[in-house]
Amino acid sequence: MANRDTPYGAFNFTVSFDGGETFGGFSDVSGIGTELTVAEYRNGNEKENHVRKVPGVHKVSDVTLKRGIVNSEDLWAWMEQVRRTGVAAQRTVSITLRDEASQPVQTWTLRGVIPLKWTGPTLAAKGGGDVAGEELVLSAEAVVFGE
C-alpha cells in the first residue's frame, strides 16, 4: 500500500458474516472499538509513593449496523438461533473499508458476535421519499485489526 496524505472516505465499506459474501448493504456502521482496563496496585514497601498500572481485561464496544430493509429473514433466523443455542450461534463479522477504486484498505474483524438488538422501521403513511430502515446492534468478544 502506497503512502497516502489524505484520509479515506467513510462512505465506502462492506460488511460480511463468517467470511462469506457481503451481508446486504449497510448505510452506517458505528461503535467499532476496544478498551483496556487497568488495575492500580501499590506494594507497601515501594520507595516512591505512586501506584503501578497493571493491564487487566479488555472490552469490545457494541457495534451498530443500519440499513434500509431489504430482507430481514436472515437476521431473524440468526436471532432465533442465538435464543435457542446461545454461544453456538456466534459468528465472525468483517467490516472492510475500501478506497475510491473499491480496493480493501483496512479490515476490522469481530469475533464471537451475537445480535443484541434489532430495531425495525418507523412507519408513517405521510408519503415522501423516506426509506424503511432497520438497525442491528452486535456484541463481540474480540476485535482484530487487519485480518
Side-chain angles (χ1 to χ4, degrees):
M1 183 184 325
N3 288 342
R4 183 178 167 123
D5 294 331
T6 58
Y8 294 101
F11 61 89
N12 197 1
F13 59 91
T14 56
V15 178
S16 61
F17 287 66
D18 288 332
E21 293 185 28
T22 301
F23 189 80
F26 291 92
S27 62
D28 294 272
V29 175
S30 62
I32 301 170
T34 187
E35 177 183 345
L36 295 171
T37 60
V38 294
E40 294 184 349
Y41 176 79
R42 183 182 179 283
N43 288 328
N45 62 351
E46 290 279 349
K47 291 181 180 180
E48 290 187 42
N49 189 19
H50 70 88
V51 295
R52 297 182 185 278
K53 302 222 177 196
V54 181
V57 297
H58 78 279
K59 300 184 274 187
V60 175
S61 303
D62 294 338
V63 175
T64 301
L65 307 175
K66 296 179 185 178
R67 70 177 183 181
I69 292 181
V70 288
N71 178 1
S72 298
E73 290 179 30
D74 292 338
L75 297 179
W76 279 108
W78 186 23
M79 291 192 79
E80 183 62 25
Q81 185 183 17
V82 170
R83 283 193 285 260
R84 292 178 186 267
T85 65
V87 254
Q90 288 179 332
R91 292 188 179 180
T92 299
V93 175
S94 296
I95 302 159
T96 303
L97 178 66
R98 298 183 174 276
D99 65 12
E100 296 81 0
S102 201
Q103 296 301 308
V105 293
Q106 197 161 304
T107 299
W108 298 269
T109 302
L110 307 174
R111 297 214 171 120
V113 179
I114 59 168
L116 283 182
K117 179 181 176 182
W118 177 87
T119 304
T122 299
L123 303 173
K126 63 183 174 187
D130 292 348
V131 173
E134 64 185 343
E135 181 177 294
L136 181 66
V137 179
L138 303 176
S139 173
E141 291 181 348
V143 60
V144 181
F145 177 79
E147 277 191 11

